[in-house]
């Protein structure tokens, strides 16, 4: 048992080393974020305590597990503890790797990888085994002498610090599981290093000393938790500027009660969110004016106009801004293109509305409103606009945002976009029609064009080069508008910004700092003189402003404000702008900017005039200002639901939702405690039921006394009782299942509470036959919310529910249900679903969705799936995994140069890969227009170059793991007989790749 405190002390020392590195980052690298040295020193000490205590706690727990496992396994040859230590990490390491890889491959593209679960499981098991084997080999080497142990310990120190450096610098603020995994790995390696130089069989004195070190670390851990829980600024600085300590703190935040979320405080009146109106005499209108909107993806506010960088990268945009009204402090609603653009075109904070129950799936767009007033509209944009949460925006994509004419393409250049816009506007002018156009340029979005190097070859230089490329194209559009549309209202802006390490991160979508959410915005109105508006505005405000300029009514539920008076010199009073990202909400008014992080309950306040770089929060220096803006942020959070949902009558003649309900409808999990109080008897039934429903939707954690008491008080109301039982069951209270069944009997079949009860019971296991029948009914109920039907289909797949085949097949016809239905059919193994899956595959638009349907088809192992999967290879953008699926179905063989004709328009040639640089795979094929190559590689590196008739056709990068890529053969005419060569290029070490199959797509 003496090994346990020794291992705990080793963990404490390992954590202290990582904590010291973080402490340096706090005390030196983040010194500008503190107002006195004492706070900086306390925060640095807290960073050390968090790391040391967490590592000691894990090591002690692990040591106990090792000791128990060792005793059960009997005697283990020396050195005993290190070997047990290594093997004790094997299973948890595999589990951690699986979780990390699964999360890392959960994006829109990676989630469509064929056999993703199997690949992730194999990679996790392989990685864990390699780590265990390597550690064992290293231990056997190290334990032969003290010198070797010391050398191994030094190597562990270097490896741990290397992992810590990666954690600190790579993918900052992205993929939390990746960073937590690096911290665990660094702490584990360093703990092993200290254990190597500790006594192999510690005596009593050594064990006592080790125990004191471990206890000291745990005491420091308690101090650090108290310091970070009680003081917002240390909590924020550790989360923002450290690596290991930030990961420990992120885990601690998930412990119920650690962060006092939603501690209340004043909430501003909802009417104050719009700010006082400007001088009404300054209102201007231009009825019937053409409207031209131009947005440039990811263009920072400091790249154009008066705030442009030192080098002139966009002279045409600079000239336009000099002739327009510039909104110097304009903000996007959220730094993600899909949500930002949809918010701009609907005049609503679309991301905030996704958590409000009962909100419509889509909202009326600007072109749909203007159509009622005889405007013809056109939108020119790319499908990449919908990259984030694509399924959620599918209705907007299908409708083209409501534009009369749309051009949605991937590979259109800026020059072509401008030509399309001018062509549309010319046509409308010739026909005498009112016109609205929106053109979105995607060029500056990452990844940046490696060939765009006029300013240099760094990422920033290529980014600026891509803005310059758009600017050159816009020169022709601006000239055309000046000559042919002098009466047009022209808007130029961006959907969000881009970060280049300004606050330690990259790209966008992760923070509410100005480099990501502040955007350039200029509006040119005929007859209005150029000027600069300092008041904060939102892109959401464009909707209402444009309608006001056109002298048209604004729909009632639109959140957009009319800032048109500011164009003519009116002054805004108390005008605020809002934005959000993940769990953060921003409120800006005047020169003050507040960011409220609901997850960590931290508040930051910046004076943008004195501190434009947003380095030091002044929340503690100006608490009154912070509280005023905090009230606005709370009001903003609570404001979405009242505009979208009908209120209930909480008192005679007073229809309104109580404030906690309004906050909860806006997604504030901190209101759950107050919601439990609203469930008590005496409140109106609608309030009790809605409060109980929101508790079930928002509450996380264990079953605690307030929830139990609320459940007891709600037993007189079956609907409220069901919702609270759902919350209990989700928290792990198995006894809630009986209460749930009993309460369901008092509900109407098909009601929201009845559906929630059935889905919860089904999620608890397949044993409940009544729940199984209800889940089938939910899956087939066209009137049920899409989310509930999706959950039902997933439950059917998980439980392999018998008798659900017909319902699931019918769901294949619904776009939003199709993927879950396909997976459920594969799980059920009903081969009669093959025709429906094949038809679904043929009409799916997005490759990642087709990959999921394709995977379901292949799961049946039926030759009838060959034809639709083979046809996938000929699609404009084939889904990854099609060729691999054909191999699994036995449609092709592994003989060199063996050829097989498929029922579709594809010939498949299968061969092994060239193993050496310069060796080529040669195919003679007729009428070929594309080759699809399926590869398996040990790691990234090297390329496969494809040529046709000695003309370059394309290159396929070698990617680690199983992958597929295609090259279109423009060099070979459709009727030409040609030689296609696939040649491996690169160093031999880069070419650990095997070509599993090559499909030649063309005429048979």
């Amino acid at each position: 048992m003496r090994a346990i405190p020794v291992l705990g002390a080793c963990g404490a020392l390992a954590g202290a080393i990582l904590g010291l590195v973080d402490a340096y980052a706090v005390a030196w690298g983040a010194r500008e974020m503190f107002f006195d040295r004492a706070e900086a020193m306390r925060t640095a000490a807290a960073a050390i305590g968090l790391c040391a205590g967490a590592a000691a706690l894990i090591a002690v727990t692990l040591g106990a597990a090792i000791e128990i496992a060792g005793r059960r396994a009997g005697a283990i040859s020396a050195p005993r503890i290190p070997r047990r230590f290594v093997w004790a990490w094997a299973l948890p390491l595999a589990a951690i790797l699986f979780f990390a890889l699964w999360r890392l491959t959960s994006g829109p593209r990676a989630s469509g990888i064929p056999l993703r679960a199997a690949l992730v499981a194999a990679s996790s098991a392989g990685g864990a085994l390699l780590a265990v084997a390597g550690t064992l080999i290293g231990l056997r080497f190290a334990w032969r002498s003290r010198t070797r142990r010391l050398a191994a310990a030094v190597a562990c120190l270097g490896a741990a610090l290397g992992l810590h450096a990666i954690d600190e610098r790579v993918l900052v603020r992205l993929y939390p599981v990746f960073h937590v995994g690096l911290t665990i790995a660094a702490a584990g390696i360093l703990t092993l290093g200290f254990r190597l130089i500790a006594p192999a069989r510690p005596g009593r004195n050594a064990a006592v000393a080790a125990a004191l070190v471990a206890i000291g670390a745990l005491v420091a851990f308690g101090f650090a938790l108290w310091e970070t829980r009680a003081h917002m600024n240390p909590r924020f600085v550790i989360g923002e500027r450290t690596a290991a300590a930030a990961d420990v703190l992120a885990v601690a935040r998930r412990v119920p009660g650690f962060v006092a979320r939603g501690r209340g405080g004043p909430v501003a009146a909802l009417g104050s969110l719009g700010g006082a109106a400007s001088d009404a005499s300054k209102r201007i209108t231009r009825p019937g004016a053409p409207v031209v909107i131009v947005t440039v993806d990811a263009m920072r506010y400091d790249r154009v106009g008066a705030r442009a960088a030192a080098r002139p990268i966009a002279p045409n945009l600079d000239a336009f801004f000099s002739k327009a009204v510039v909104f110097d402090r304009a903000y996007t609603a959220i730094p993600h293109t899909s949500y930002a653009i949809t918010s701009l075109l609907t005049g609503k904070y679309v991301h905030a509305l996704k958590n409000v129950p009962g909100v419509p799936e889509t909202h009326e767009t600007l072109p749909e409103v203007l159509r009622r007033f005889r405007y013809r509209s056109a939108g020119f944009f790319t499908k990449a606009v919908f990259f984030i949460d694509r399924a959620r925006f599918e209705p907007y994509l299908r409708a083209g945002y409501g534009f009369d004419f749309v051009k949605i393409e991937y590979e259109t250049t800026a020059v072509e976009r401008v030509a399309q816009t001018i062509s549309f506007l010319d046509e409308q002018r010739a026909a005498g029609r009112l016109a609205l156009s929106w053109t979105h340029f995607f060029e500056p979005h990452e990844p940046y064009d490696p060939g765009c190097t006029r300013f240099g070859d760094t990422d920033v230089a290529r980014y600026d080069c891509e803005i310059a490329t758009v600017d050159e194209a816009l020169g022709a559009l601006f000239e055309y508008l000046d000559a042919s549309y002098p009466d047009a209202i022209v808007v130029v802006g961006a959907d969000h910004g881009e970060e280049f390490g300004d606050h330690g991160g990259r790209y966008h979508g992760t923070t509410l700092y100005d480099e990501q959410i502040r955007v350039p915005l200029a509006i040119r109105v005929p007859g209005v003189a150029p000027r600069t508006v300092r008041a904060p505005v939102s892109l959401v405000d464009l909707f209402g402003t444009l309608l006001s300029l056109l002298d048209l009514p604004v729909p009632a539920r639109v959140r957009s404000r009319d800032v048109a008076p500011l164009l003519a010199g009116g002054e805004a009073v108390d005008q605020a702008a809002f934005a959000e990202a993940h769990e953060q909400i921003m409120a800006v008014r005047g020169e003050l900017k507040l960011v409220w992080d609901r997850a960590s309950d931290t508040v930051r306040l910046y004076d943008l005039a004195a501190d434009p770089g947003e380095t030091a929060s002044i929340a503690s220096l100006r608490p009154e200002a912070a509280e005023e803006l905090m009230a606005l942020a709370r009001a903003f959070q609570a404001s979405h639901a009242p505009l979208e949902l009908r209120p209930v009558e909480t008192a005679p003649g007073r229809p309104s939702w109580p404030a906690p309900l309004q906050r909860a409808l806006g997604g504030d999990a901190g209101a759950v405690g107050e919601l439990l109080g609203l469930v008590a008897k005496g409140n109106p039934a609608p309030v009790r039921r809605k409060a109980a429903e929101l508790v079930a939707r928002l509450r996380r954690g264990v079953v605690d006394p307030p929830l139990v008491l609320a459940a007891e008080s709600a037993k007189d109301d079956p609907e409220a009782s069901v919702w609270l039982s759902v919350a209990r069951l989700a928290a792990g209270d198995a006894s809630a299942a009986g209460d749930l069944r009993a309460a369901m009997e008092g509900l109407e079949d098909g009601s929201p509470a009845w559906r929630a009860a059935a889905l919860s019971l089904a999620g608890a296991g397949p044993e409940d036959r009544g729940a199984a029948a209800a889940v089938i009914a939910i899956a087939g109920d066209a009137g049920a919310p899409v989310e509930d039907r999706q959950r039902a289909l997933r439950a059917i797949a998980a439980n392999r529910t018998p008798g659900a085949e017909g319902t699931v097949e019918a769901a294949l016809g619904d776009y939003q249900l199709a993927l879950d239905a396909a997976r459920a059919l594969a799980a059920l193994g009903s081969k009669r679903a093959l025709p429906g899956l094949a038809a679904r595959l043929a009409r799916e638009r997005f490759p990642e969705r087709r990959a999921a349907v394709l995977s379901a088809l292949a799961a049946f192992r039926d030759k009838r799936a060959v034809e639709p999967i083979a046809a996938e290879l000929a699609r404009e953008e084939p889904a990854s995994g099609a060729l691999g699926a054909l191999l699994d179905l036995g449609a092709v063989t592994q003989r060199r140069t063996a050829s097989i004709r498929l029922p579709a328009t594809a010939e498949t040639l299968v061969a092994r890969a060239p193993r050496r640089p310069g060796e080529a795979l040669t195919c003679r094929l007729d009428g070929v227009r594309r080759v699809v190559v399926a590869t398996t590689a040990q790691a990234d590196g090297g390329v496969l170059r494809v040529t046709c008739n000695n003309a370059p056709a394309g290159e396929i990068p070698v990617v680690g793991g199983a992958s597929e890529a295609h090259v279109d053969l423009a060099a070979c005419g459709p009727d030409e007989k040609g030689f296609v060569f696939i040649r491996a290029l690169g160093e031999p070490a880069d070419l650990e790749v095997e070509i599993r199959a090559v499909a030649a797509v063309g005429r048979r």
Side-chain angles (χ1 to χ4, degrees), residues 31 66 620 756 816 855:
R31 60 189 184 280
I66 294 168
S620 59
Q816 293 179 289
S855 178

Side-chain angles (χ1 to χ4, degrees), residues 116 305 457 493 577 623 692 695 806:
R116 173 186 168 213
D457 58 2
V695 167

